Amino acid sequence: MALTKKQIKQLRAMANSLKPLFYVGKNDLTESAVNQADETIEKHELIKCAVQDGSDLTAKEAAAELAEQLNAEVVQSIGNRFVLFRRSRRDDVEHIRLVRE
């Protein structure tokens, strides 16, 4: 699912007020870290993540790798933070309504 420019703009605006819910630490992206990120994105659909100082990965590298493993889309990457989006399959989650072009 590729996002359009308008959808990315919408998601970036929504992510502006979010606090990081997932941190990439010195162990980088272990299997348990990816599982934790999967649970978090399933609950929220849009998550902000932060790469801590001890990590060998940059935010762009971590975002690309995590997005590939989670089947998610990278919304943006700035400094040591990045934002991911993936539509949740759960019914008890309020789904984000994306704009259409």
Side-chain angles (χ1 to χ4, degrees), residues 36-90:
Q36 179 189 357
D38 186 45
E39 288 177 23
T40 306
I41 201 167
E42 193 64 29
K43 289 179 188 171
H44 298 279
E45 290 191 344
L46 184 68
I47 60 170
K48 185 180 279 188
C49 310
V51 178
Q52 295 178 319
D53 290 338
S55 177
D56 294 333
L57 297 173
T58 66
K60 287 188 183 203
E61 293 169 343
E65 191 174 323
L66 194 57
E68 183 179 323
Q69 291 186 30
L70 295 178
N71 211 12
E73 296 288 328
V74 178
V75 176
Q76 77 180 46
S77 175
I78 297 176
N80 68 338
R81 296 182 182 202
F82 59 94
V83 178
L84 298 178
F85 171 77
R86 183 181 78 190
R87 173 110 19 235
S88 177
R89 295 179 292 276
R90 292 174 49 168

